[in-house]
Amino acid sequence: MQGLDAVGGLVPDDDPGRAAVPVADLLVARLVDAGVRGTVFGVHGANIEDVFDAAVRHPLLTPVVAKHEFGAGAMADGQHGSPPSRPRS
């Protein structure tokens, strides 16, 4: 079982002397474990800033913060490309 410290880090019960790992760092590590790499897009906000900070610290991720969901989606689409559209016949 794990507990939270005062700054939102997980402290393992089996090793109380070990430093706490922030939950945002654990989340980013799981995203990378799942195959997320390169540029990631998101929308700013007080509740997600720790995750963006953790993404900045991770060597395999480059976070880009947008002011609106549509902007983040459009940037992601442009970055990763969508299949070319075919003209209508």
Side-chain angles (χ1 to χ4, degrees):
M1 193 73 187
Q2 297 177 337
L4 289 176
D5 71 354
V7 293
L10 288 177
V11 179
D13 289 340
D14 59 344
D15 189 2
R18 196 167 96 191
V21 177
V23 173
D25 288 334
L26 295 172
L27 175 64
V28 168
R30 294 304 160 258
L31 289 172
V32 171
D33 288 346
V36 176
R37 303 281 190 282
T39 307
V40 293
F41 298 90
V43 181
H44 69 92
N47 296 328
I48 194 86
E49 291 303 321
D50 292 337
V51 175
F52 282 120
D53 290 343
V56 167
R57 289 190 297 272
H58 201 284
L60 297 177
L61 299 178
T62 304
V64 175
V65 181
K67 289 189 171 228
H68 192 274
E69 292 88 353
F70 182 82
M75 288 188 287
D77 184 53
Q79 172 80 21
H80 298 289
S82 56
S85 60
R86 295 184 299 181
R88 295 180 186 214
S89 310

